[in-house]
Structures are given as structure tokens and as C-alpha cells.
Amino acid sequence: MNKYLSLSPEVQQALADNRPIVALESTIISHGMPYPQNVQTALRVEQTIRDHGATPATIAVIGGKLKAGCTPEEIEYLGHKGQAVTKASRRDLPVLIARGQDGATTVTTTMIIAAMAGIKVFATGGIGGVHRGAETTMDISADLEELAQTPVMVICAGAKSILDLGLTLEYLETKGVPVIGYGTDELPAFYTRKSGFGVDYRIDTPHELAAAFKAKLDMGLKGGMLVTNPIPEEYSMPADVINDAIDRAIAEANEKGIHGKQTTPFLLAKVKDLTGGDSLAANIQLVLNNARLAALTATALATL
Ligand code: PSU
Ligand code: MN
């Protein structure tokens, strides 16, 4: 265990007892949703994981420590500070730690810290990927490289079509990352259940998800596994409404010259504004849905 890692007592106990744990990211709290819904959602997600028999580990960098398991006070702090917290990807960790600073962890850094702690399953909303126009901007999320090298199963609702979903799948294929559809043959597009793109495999039970990931770990094949879980039908959004909002958000980002790490948070906030909060309600429900599946899968994995 490295000296920068700090486990909550609850997570430490669960690890010692080989009980199921689910990692959760903190950029979704600070940059992905507005206050106070971000904090309320983060706490509800933790409760959902407990209700399904697993221990939640919300991950963040606080005062230069890599936290696996945040207190409700720390979650409130990250949510209230919002975009003022550094969005911390892989390249940010060394300096944040040396300076004793805070950082909200993306999918990338949540995977890194989960792996350091020995946590194998992680639930979130959406992952980063290859941005539209990446053939000229080269804007490709570090999340894809992390999935290629770090042994954590990431359970998400697919990716938003702020990204080029076809190129994102090509990238994952090149990197050898299995893309699984949970109960579906089609990659879900976060707010909607369909994208027009196929996944590599359809799996219908938490037990089979766990068995596939266990096989990957046993073989020592590096990298993770991406499980895409469609938003429940009753909460999904009309595709034309969401696609129109996304097109407008991207046009505005291009006009304003938004780039680098600001791009994703800018697009997420714009889409939310343009859809008048409906997208936030959908976002909350899909995260809860992923937390449930992650708790069941972590439970199955702990018995294998
Ligand atoms: N996509 C979402 N919601 C999010 C993110 C992405 O639908 O909250 C966040 C996640 O933390 C993800 C990060 O890891 O943005 C990706 O940022 P970038 O595209 O800059 O790599
Ligand atoms: Mn980027």
C-alpha cells in the first residue's frame, strides 16, 4: 500500500473481509452536476450501493491524499466547491500530491486509485472518449488509455454523443478493451438507450459480468472492462431533443474556442441548460441504475 493512499475505515474493513466494494468518482460531483443535486445524488448513490449489499468508496484527492472512501462532509465540500476543485486526471496527480491540494477524480484517476486500493468495480454515469473533430484537435480522453491499462471494471450508461461514439469504439477495440452491453446489443448513448453502434458482447447477468472480468484478471491481461448499462426506459430522453441540445452546445464551444480539460465540463453544463433540467433528472436516475448493477456485480465477483 503506498503512503499517499488513505482508506476510510469502512473500506479498509470491507477489503480485509473480502466483502464487495464499489468505487465512485468525484468529478461527476464537482463538475458533472449542479449543487446541491450533486451532493444529494452522491449520497443517494452510496446508499443504493449499501442497500444492495456492497460498500461504497467515493474517491477523491483531499489535501494531497488519495482517498478511497470519502466522508459525507468531504462529499459536501467537493460538491459545494464545484468547478473550483481541480478536475484531476492522470497527469495532475503528482503535482496535486506534492502541493497537498484537492482534486476531483475523473474516470481515469478513480480507476488508478481504486486499483491501488484493490477495488475492482466502479460505477459512474458516462466516460470520456474521442471527441467529435478529434481528427484535427486530437482531443481524446485519458479515460480510454486508462481502460487499456488499469484492471478495473467500469459500469456506465455508455457515452454521450458530445463524443464521436464510432471513433470511441474503434479506439477501445485497438486498445483491447472489451465493451459489454448489459442486456443490450447496442451501445447506449447515456440519455438514450440506443446509439446505432453495436457492442462487442451482450451479457445479461451480474454473475456473467463478474465471471468475464475474473477471467481477464486471472489471465493477467492488463486493462479494464467497459460495461454499458442503458438508462431505464422510463427516464430516457427523446433522441431529437438531446441531439439538438448537444449540437448547439458543440457549436458554442467551437465559437468560444473552448478546449483541453474545459471541453467536457462546458458541454455537460450547456446541455443541461438547454434541456431545462430534464437531462439532470435522467442523469441522476442512470447513475443510480449503474450503482445497483455495480453492487450486484461486485457481490458476485467476491464469491468467485
Ligand atoms: N462524461 C459525462 N459525465 C461526466 C464526465 C464525462 O457524461 O461527469 C466526466 C468524467 O469524470 C470523465 C471526465 O472521466 O468527465 C472526462 O473528461 P475528459 O473528456 O476531459 O477526459
Ligand atoms: Mn480532452
Side-chain angles (χ1 to χ4, degrees), residues 244-296:
D244 182 56
I246 286 172
D247 288 344
R248 287 168 61 191
I250 290 175
E252 190 174 332
N254 289 340
E255 256 163 50
K256 292 194 161 142
I258 307 286
H259 63 276
K261 71 193 290 190
Q262 270 79 45
T263 302
T264 298
F266 178 90
L267 294 174
L268 298 181
K270 269 289 151 220
V271 168
K272 200 219 93 203
D273 289 349
L274 290 168
T275 51
D278 287 358
S279 63
L280 179 59
N283 198 345
I284 292 169
Q285 291 301 329
L286 67 83
V287 176
L288 292 169
N289 190 47
N290 295 340
R292 245 178 326 264
L293 179 59
L296 298 174

Side-chain angles (χ1 to χ4, degrees), residues 64-120:
K65 288 278 178 214
L66 307 176
K67 293 264 183 183
C70 284
T71 62
E73 292 72 27
E74 287 165 338
I75 289 173
E76 165 68 28
Y77 167 77
L78 292 165
H80 195 249
K81 233 180 141 189
Q83 308 252 350
V85 183
T86 301
K87 176 182 158 196
S89 192
R90 175 177 269 269
R91 56 115 184 249
D92 301 292
L93 290 181
V95 175
L96 284 179
I97 286 183
R99 293 183 174 165
Q101 290 176 339
D102 303 328
T105 53
T106 61
V107 167
T108 295
T109 37
T110 304
M111 289 178 75
I112 293 172
I113 297 168
M116 282 178 188
I119 301 170
K120 300 188 185 74

Side-chain angles (χ1 to χ4, degrees), residues 25 27-28 87 106-107 126-128 131 141 143 160 190 264 268:
E25 65 157 304
T27 292
I28 192 175
K87 176 182 158 196
T106 61
V107 167
I127 60 156
H131 278 266
S141 175
D143 293 352
K160 294 195 177 89
F190 198 90
T264 298
L268 298 181

